[in-house]
Amino acid sequence: MEEVKLRRQGVQSKDHGLRMLPQEKVKDLIHLSLRAKEHAYCPYSKFRVGAALLAHDDRVFTGCNVENACYNLGVCAERNAISKAVSEGYRSFKAIAIASDLNDQFISPCGGCRQFMREFGSSWEAYLSKPDGSYVKMDVSELLPVSFGPEDLSMKKVFNIPNEY
Ligand code: THU
């Protein structure tokens, strides 16, 4: 058996092709994510997170984390923002800004949220911020390399499950 080197391309179909956002837009998006953080409902973790999602037509959807007494039902800020957008008919995104109260670290989205972002393409931008507004930019394919996505479901298989399986 020989080793095969992986070289996966970014999913370009509904992506915005890594076009740079103007600095002012980035600042505004981060500001909106910081404001969304104010609504965080996190009595259990006491860890506030906010997100601001920029859609293809520049509409912004915000989200915060919403926890629950049944702990595992909590929802992350990023997933909340994405679900709000999708439920209003949006599936194409340019960027997401994420904010937390961490003083010295840029907020790092959890694995589940990375996969949730990747569902809608792998070459759009995430701005991971600090409360002072500083940020690092990573695209979704950097956050989740060698990812599994919707396209994989229809790739050629060695076995196709019959309908009566
Ligand atoms: N959280 C988010 O909202 N987004 C992330 O990417 C990281 C974690 C939330 C989930 C939970 O309410 C709290 O932060 C602590 O994990």
Side-chain angles (χ1 to χ4, degrees):
M1 297 267 181
E2 65 178 292
E3 183 188 348
V4 177
K5 295 271 183 245
L6 274 178
R7 227 188 79 240
R8 297 255 311 224
Q9 269 127 35
V11 182
Q12 294 293 334
S13 52
K14 45 194 168 171
D15 294 355
H16 285 274
L18 300 175
R19 235 172 286 135
M20 287 268 282
L21 273 189
Q23 183 77 14
E24 271 312 299
K25 268 222 164 103
V26 174
K27 264 184 64 184
D28 289 350
L29 202 62
I30 288 172
H31 179 71
L32 290 171
S33 71
L34 285 161
R35 271 187 31 201
K37 183 184 69 174
E38 306 289 324
H39 298 300
Y41 175 72
C42 53
Y44 309 108
S45 72
K46 310 216 185 313
F47 191 90
R48 301 190 304 170
V49 184
L53 176 68
L54 184 68
H56 66 92
D57 63 353
D58 286 345
R59 189 164 154 191
V60 175
F61 295 87
T62 58
C64 63
N65 52 334
V66 181
E67 299 185 346
N68 193 277
C70 179
Y71 285 11
N72 61 344
L73 293 182
V75 185
C76 290
E78 301 89 318
R79 266 182 263 185
N80 231 334
I82 294 170
S83 298
K84 276 171 74 177
V86 171
S87 67
E88 299 219 9
Y90 284 75
R91 296 180 183 182
S92 180
F93 308 117
K94 291 181 181 172
I96 188 166
I98 313 167
S100 82
D101 293 316
L102 290 172
N103 201 46
D104 300 324
Q105 273 161 272
F106 300 101
I107 179 67
S108 178
C110 79
C113 287
R114 293 174 192 217
Q115 182 69 37
F116 219 78
M117 291 175 206
R118 191 262 173 264
E119 181 70 17
F120 302 99
S122 58
S123 53
W124 54 290
E125 296 163 353
Y127 292 90
L128 321 182
S129 77
K130 285 187 196 171
D132 65 4
S134 59
Y135 62 88
V136 291
K137 175 169 87 81
M138 292 183 78
D139 62 77
V140 175
S141 66
E142 287 180 279
L143 287 170
L144 196 67
V146 201
S147 63
F148 181 84
E151 306 77 16
D152 292 290
L153 292 172
S154 48
M155 294 288 182
K156 195 174 153 209
K157 292 183 270 184
V158 293
F159 179 70
N160 289 300
I161 294 181
N163 288 336
E164 63 278 13
Y165 192 74

